[in-house]
Amino acid sequence: QVQLVESGGGLVQAGGSLRLSCAASGRTFSNYNMGWFRQAPGKEREFVASISRTGKLTDYADSVKGRFTISRDNAKNTVYLQMNSLKPDDTAVYYCARGGPAWTRGSFDYWGQGTQVTVSS
């Protein structure tokens, strides 16, 4: 069973930055696409960003493009989400996810427990 553990969430003022980390168990981390999703209170979970197995390809939601950067370190079995210019609308629980066989936003099959990000105005 895969385990995904997020960290790095917290409280930050609008305009500030946070870096989220997701540590994955297992020895086949580099075989999987990885992604970040988020869910605000009363809203559906939404796609944020994803990164391919080697890190060559990335995909971003329009709402975060230009502000967030996804990266990975396969030697550390870790995926990151650097979040800059944060807005109150970014407030949500952020989830790390492992991708399935396809390079699509609907292919993610395992999820972490989430980490809370709160952006104050």
Side-chain angles (χ1 to χ4, degrees), residues 73-110:
D73 185 341
N74 287 348
K76 295 183 177 180
N77 279 19
T78 302
V79 61
Y80 304 95
L81 186 68
Q82 178 66 47
M83 306 186 295
N84 298 327
S85 302
L86 283 162
K87 307 173 181 180
D89 284 349
D90 295 319
T91 295
V93 177
Y94 283 71
Y95 297 91
C96 178
R98 190 188 77 177
W103 176 241
T104 67
R105 294 182 178 185
S107 70
F108 297 90
D109 53 6
Y110 291 97

Side-chain angles (χ1 to χ4, degrees), residues 26-61:
R27 58 181 179 86
T28 59
F29 176 75
S30 63
N31 291 346
Y32 297 97
N33 305 313
M34 298 295 295
W36 288 96
F37 291 72
R38 67 187 183 186
Q39 187 169 26
K43 308 203 107 179
E44 294 293 313
R45 185 176 295 186
E46 66 175 347
F47 170 82
V48 176
S50 61
I51 188 165
S52 64
R53 294 166 179 83
T54 65
K56 183 176 181 181
L57 301 176
T58 58
D59 186 22
Y60 296 94

Side-chain angles (χ1 to χ4, degrees), residues 6-30:
E6 301 95 335
S7 62
L11 175 64
V12 65
Q13 291 186 342
S17 298
L18 283 174
R19 189 180 76 159
L20 306 184
S21 298
C22 172
S25 65
R27 58 181 179 86
T28 59
F29 176 75
S30 63

